[in-house]
């Protein structure tokens, strides 16, 4: 299932896995027709204030990939869930509970970007990736264009004691360790993409 989030709403393609989308795939004629219809639909969905869920069932992944390429500028990012003693590291960015993440630089692998961004935003060093977590996808309007951000997420550990240093120039004002008692509030207040896609993984970490 592939979900794209915008603010508090979700566009859902139940039969498609977002991780397999290939924007360079060869399109069949039916794919081109479906892609054109999606390109017409995307602006309507983006403007719709309804915070609910919209399901699109009968569209192939090649048509979806082509429509996304035509509608959005891709802005890939990477981040991490840093685990320590049965808790995970969260940040507060512009007043919203979040997980550390940032843009992938040109030529950079998502794993490298995730390790770099987490260290820069939290001050936590000696990070190691344990495993990859599901990616999240959300779109936003910036500099007069729509962007679609795929964030690659990784479960991480650190050999260091947690002595956080918020990257204030990125709007980060606080770093917290979230455990079993805090997990419900975090999931309620964070972005819907994180709570829905990573919620189960975060609960498993916070309840160990």
């Amino acid at each position: 299932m592939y979900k794209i989030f915008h603010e508090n709403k979700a566009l859902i393609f139940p039969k498609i896995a977002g991780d397999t989308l290939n924007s360079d795939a060869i399109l069949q004629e039916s794919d081109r027709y479906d892609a054109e219809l999606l390109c017409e639909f995307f602006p309507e969905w983006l403007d719709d204030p309804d915070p609910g869920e919209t399901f699109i069932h009968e569209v192939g992944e090649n048509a979806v990939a082509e429509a996304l390429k035509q509608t959005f500028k891709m802005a890939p990012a990477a981040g991490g869930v840093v685990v320590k003693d049965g808790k995970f590291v969260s940040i507060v960015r512009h007043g919203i509970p979040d997980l550390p993440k940032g843009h992938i630089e040109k030529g950079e692998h998502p794993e490298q970007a995730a390790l770099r961004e987490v260290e820069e935003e939290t001050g936590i060093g000696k990070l190691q990736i344990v495993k990859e977590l599901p990616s999240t996808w959300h779109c936003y309007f910036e500099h007069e264009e729509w962007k679609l951000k795929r964030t690659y997420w990784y479960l991480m550990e650190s050999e260091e004691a947690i002595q956080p240093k918020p990257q204030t120039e990125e709007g980060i004002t606080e770093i917290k360790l979230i455990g079993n008692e805090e997990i419900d509030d975090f999931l309620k207040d964070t972005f819907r993409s994180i709570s829905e896609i990573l919620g189960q993984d975060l609960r498993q970490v916070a309840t160990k």
Side-chain angles (χ1 to χ4, degrees), residues 13-16 34 55-60:
F13 298 87
K15 299 180 180 180
I16 294 175
D34 287 343
F55 289 83
I56 298 182
H57 294 272
E58 303 301 329
V59 179

Side-chain angles (χ1 to χ4, degrees), residues 76-78 103-114 116 152:
H103 292 291
I104 299 175
E105 296 179 354
K106 186 176 181 180
E108 192 175 31
H109 190 276
E111 290 188 3
Q112 295 173 312
R116 175 183 56 78
Y152 297 81

Side-chain angles (χ1 to χ4, degrees), residues 58-94:
E58 303 301 329
V59 179
E61 63 181 45
N62 289 349
V64 173
E66 179 65 19
L68 293 176
K69 183 172 67 173
Q70 292 185 30
T71 305
F72 300 97
K73 178 180 179 180
M74 300 302 164
V81 178
V82 182
V83 180
K84 195 74 171 180
D85 300 325
K87 296 184 178 182
F88 66 87
V89 176
S90 75
I91 63 174
V92 177
R93 191 197 312 265
H94 302 304

Side-chain angles (χ1 to χ4, degrees), residues 39-56:
C39 286
E40 295 175 0
F41 170 74
F42 280 147
E44 298 176 5
W45 176 73
L46 291 167
D47 287 340
D48 189 348
D50 187 347
E53 297 180 336
T54 301
F55 289 83
I56 298 182

Side-chain angles (χ1 to χ4, degrees), residues 159-198:
E159 298 175 3
E160 291 187 345
I162 302 296
Q163 297 178 324
K165 299 176 183 178
Q167 191 179 21
T168 54
E169 59 268 30
E170 290 293 327
I172 301 171
T173 55
E174 192 174 359
I175 296 175
K176 298 180 178 180
L177 284 170
I178 304 295
N180 186 39
E181 294 180 355
E182 300 87 6
I183 184 65
D184 287 339
D185 286 340
F186 175 84
L187 293 176
K188 176 173 64 70
D189 296 333
T190 192
F191 297 100
R192 183 177 174 184
S193 58
I194 290 177
S195 63
E196 287 196 16
I197 304 301
L198 297 177

